[in-house]
Amino acid sequence: GNRLRGKKEYVPTERVASLQNEGAYAVLAAANALEAKGKDIVHLEIGQPGFPSPAHVVDAGVEAITGGKTKYSNPSGIPNLKRAIAEYVTRTRGVATSPAQVVVGPGAKPGLFFPTLALVQPGDEVMYPDPGFPTYRAMIEVAGATPVPVPLRPDGASFDMAAFRSKVSDRTKLIVLNSPANPTGGVMPREDVEEVAAIATSADAWVLSDEIYSRLTYDQSEGATSVYSLPDMKERTVLVDGFSKTYCMTGWRLGWAVMPEALAARTELLAVHSYGCVATFTQEAGVAALEGPQDQVEQMVSEYKLRRDFVVRALNAIDGVECPTPAGAFYAFPDVSSFGMTSKQIANLLLNEGGVAVLPGTDFGANGEGKIRLSYVGDMDTLKEGCARIAKVLGKLSSEDDADDSSKEKKSKDDSSYIITPDSSKGNVGNAMPVIGGGGGGLGANMTWEELDEKVNTYPMDRKFQAIGEGGQSFIDEVVALIEKSLGRSVPSGNVTTRPSKKGKYVAVNVTVRLENGNEVLEVYGALKSCERVKWFL
């Protein structure tokens, strides 16, 4: 009787227990809270196009509403929009596509999520880019499959292809591509897309190609290569695109996916039993977007290119920052690892001290450590002010590069985020060590290490460790040897990257390893902590 009268406690199912919010929304909320207290904030965190929806698109939507097109529609999309999408894909990808292959959704995310649910199940592995759009890992986990994050090459344009090859297995069921990419702005070279297609065919795997930024490329006359356009890939590819980025229609919530007809039929059933259908008047606006004038899209791309060029120059002028030139989308993903702080710490510092909101690279996966993401969709005045604030804050950090080691080491320890480690004498959370991303909120000090580890981590997982110190190749070799010894296995050479500070005093060694359990995290940290040459580690 007492149990029935008590408050019902919610316990998440395994299916949703590991889901996390998109970092962009968390940073936006923090920035808005500071603004509510009177602090001036420059917003560079959200990928919200800085232009209005085209006038003819708005007119079509309004006309549809006033004309009474406000009733239920076909779950996979109204016929004239599906026909327009099929014609658009046929024209832009060079592959004959029929309306029966098209499923329209409220945004592009259902086009990512639903085919994944229809394609994979427990025991299957899904390869995806890390850093990458957070929904990729979320949809894989909800589907019950095993996420297999694949690191990118240093400029963020493509997978580290050696790492990609090494992660393909007989359980690989789906490969996720994103080109142009979020968060890097990278555009995959055609030869890499072709290799992925060949590997997918050999492994009998599907490919899900997120091409939401397909029209936003700057330096390639032919645009981004679509895997859908390659020979024999139509029957094993899900092509996802939409209207939000190209036509500045984020709030309209309209996207689409193209796939083999049998898969489209199953995906439509998921639509039937979830959102039912997409608003008809929104779809009519989509028809106008695809079939109407495209001059605003061309003008927008030209303007984004100017903004990109300014942001990249401004960031590379900051001592300690390296920013590759993104070939697409509207994001810059600079490397800020030389400052000896986590991405989260840098982002927090920029927000709280500089009044500029950016996203830490780790919001897009563990391999985003050492990076931050900026969106250059804002007008030029906003970008100039934002970059000036970033330069001011990071300039103070850069000036400390030649400071006394002991004082700088103390600063690094004072500023670090922490992971809790077990205190054997108390049986609960005790000591602390620096770690990527910190322990997070809501973790009680009376939790055992096993409880904490189970709460925040899912194994096996890829984790990037970074050690910073003085020295050249000997220091790099020592860090790798320490990690290999602590884990009892070798680290592939492709999993090790290095970067010196601009003044050459320090070198950052980044080592990505696959961890089997939480104890291996502690083993690596213990090894790095014991090394006198390691000044800071993350």
Side-chain angles (χ1 to χ4, degrees):
N2 292 335
R3 183 179 64 83
L4 294 177
R5 288 195 296 269
K7 183 178 180 181
K8 176 64 176 173
E9 179 184 1
Y10 169 64
V11 179
T13 63
E14 184 177 344
R15 184 180 297 108
V16 301
S18 62
L19 285 179
Q20 298 179 5
N21 197 4
E22 278 191 46
Y25 295 116
V27 173
L28 178 62
N32 288 342
L34 289 174
E35 286 179 317
K37 296 178 181 179
K39 188 174 181 65
D40 179 52
I41 303 294
V42 174
H43 290 273
L44 302 181
E45 78 276 32
I46 297 293
Q48 174 84 281
F51 298 89
S53 303
H56 69 281
V57 172
V58 175
D59 290 343
V62 171
E63 183 178 340
I65 293 174
T66 58
K69 295 182 178 181
T70 57
K71 298 179 174 59
Y72 288 129
S73 66
N74 189 303
S76 67
I78 60 175
N80 54 332
L81 178 58
K82 294 180 66 172
R83 182 172 57 252
I85 291 170
E87 292 173 354
Y88 172 78
V89 173
T90 300
R91 183 173 67 254
T92 58
R93 273 69 171 189
V95 177
T97 302
S98 72
Q101 293 176 250
V102 178
V103 179
V104 177
K109 284 183 178 179
L112 299 171
F113 227 105
F114 287 174
T116 300
L117 291 176
L119 288 172
V120 304
Q121 55 194 350
D124 294 332
E125 292 183 349
V126 182
M127 301 172 65
Y128 68 99
D130 181 351
F133 186 44
T135 292
Y136 302 150
R137 187 177 184 99
M139 68 193 189
I140 297 164
E141 291 179 336
V142 169
T146 301
V148 181
V150 182
L152 307 182
R153 68 191 207 185
D155 65 359
S158 182
F159 291 121
D160 174 335
M161 292 306 295
F164 181 88
R165 297 181 202 105
S166 72
K167 290 175 179 288
V168 178
S169 78
D170 58 3
R171 295 186 298 277
T172 301
K173 185 66 176 289
L174 177 65
I175 299 168
V176 179
L177 300 183
N178 180 212
S179 176
N182 176 16
T184 67
V187 174
M188 288 184 71
R190 182 179 181 87
E191 58 267 26
D192 286 3
V193 180
E194 290 175 338
E195 182 173 357
V196 169
I199 290 173
T201 301
S202 176
D204 195 24
W206 290 83
V207 177
L208 191 157
S209 187
D210 180 358
E211 301 180 14
I212 192 67
Y213 301 97
S214 61
R215 298 280 292 276
L216 304 182
T217 60
Y218 308 111
D219 303 310
Q220 302 89 354
S221 58
E222 73 280 5
T225 300
S226 173
V227 69
Y228 183 81
S229 69
L230 299 181
D232 302 321
M233 289 305 294
K234 174 181 175 181
E235 295 306 317
R236 67 173 65 249
T237 297
V238 178
L239 167 62
V240 182
D241 204 336
F243 298 83
S244 292
K245 313 301 184 181
T246 300
Y247 297 104
C248 306
M249 295 175 65
T250 52
W252 294 77
R253 306 315 303 138
L254 187 62
W256 49 265
V258 167
M259 63 199 80
E261 291 185 21
L263 177 57
R266 284 289 151 181
T267 301
E268 180 180 359
L269 291 177
L270 288 169
V272 167
H273 296 296
S274 54
Y275 54 80
C277 64
V278 178
T280 304
F281 52 85
T282 298
Q283 296 185 69
E284 292 289 354
V287 174
L290 291 176
E291 297 184 345
Q294 304 295 303
D295 53 315
Q296 181 169 325
V297 177
E298 296 167 2
Q299 293 168 6
M300 178 182 68
V301 171
S302 295
E303 181 61 30
Y304 282 157
K305 186 176 188 295
L306 293 175
R307 298 177 187 184
R308 176 203 69 171
D309 292 344
F310 166 77
V311 167
V312 170
R313 284 197 306 269
L315 291 172
N316 281 325
I318 303 171
D319 192 25
V321 176
E322 278 193 14
C323 184
T325 300
F330 39 54
Y331 307 111
F333 201 57
D335 189 323
V336 293
S337 61
S338 67
F339 298 105
M341 300 171 66
T342 67
S343 296
K344 180 70 171 177
Q345 290 167 343
I346 291 286
N348 286 342
L349 188 69
L350 290 172
L351 178 61
N352 293 304
E353 293 192 15
V356 55
V358 302
L359 299 185
T362 46
D363 279 356
F364 302 92
N367 291 319
E369 183 56 75
K371 311 289 181 63
I372 56 174
R373 194 197 78 172
L374 292 74
S375 174
Y376 50 83
V377 293
D379 59 42
M380 194 63 80
D381 287 341
T382 298
L383 297 176
K384 288 179 178 178
E385 178 63 23
C387 288
R389 295 185 185 191
I390 292 172
K392 183 177 180 180
V393 173
L394 297 186
K396 293 179 181 179
L397 297 178
S398 181
S399 66
E400 298 171 352
D401 195 31
D402 289 326
D404 176 75
D405 284 349
S406 61
S407 64
K408 185 145 187 175
E409 186 171 2
K410 180 179 185 301
K411 173 178 174 56
S412 176
K413 290 179 178 178
D414 288 345
D415 285 348
S416 289
S417 52
Y418 293 93
I419 184 169
I420 310 296
T421 64
D423 182 331
S424 58
S425 65
K426 297 181 180 179
N428 56 24
V429 171
N431 303 320
M433 300 171 73
V435 70
I436 293 172
L443 302 179
N446 61 341
M447 295 175 66
T448 66
W449 164 249
E450 289 76 12
E451 291 170 337
L452 176 63
D453 189 47
E454 182 178 352
K455 183 178 180 68
V456 301
N457 292 318
T458 301
Y459 295 98
M461 64 183 292
D462 286 340
R463 166 65 65 82
K464 179 188 287 186
F465 295 94
Q466 182 183 84
I468 300 173
E470 296 182 58
Q473 189 62 44
S474 64
F475 175 70
I476 297 169
D477 293 341
E478 183 172 358
V479 169
V480 174
L482 283 169
I483 293 176
E484 289 181 332
K485 183 177 180 180
S486 67
L487 296 176
R489 55 185 179 272
S490 62
V491 174
S493 59
N495 288 19
V496 181
T497 61
T498 62
R499 180 173 179 270
S501 64
K502 285 202 170 182
K503 294 181 181 179
K505 184 172 183 179
Y506 300 102
V507 61
V509 184
N510 302 301
V511 182
T512 301
V513 294
R514 191 149 181 88
L515 301 176
E516 299 299 328
N517 54 64
N519 287 332
E520 291 191 335
V521 179
L522 304 182
E523 293 292 339
V524 173
Y525 281 132
L528 295 177
K529 187 177 183 181
S530 68
C531 180
E532 292 184 0
R533 297 183 68 186
V534 175
K535 300 300 181 184
W536 312 278
F537 60 91
L538 310 170

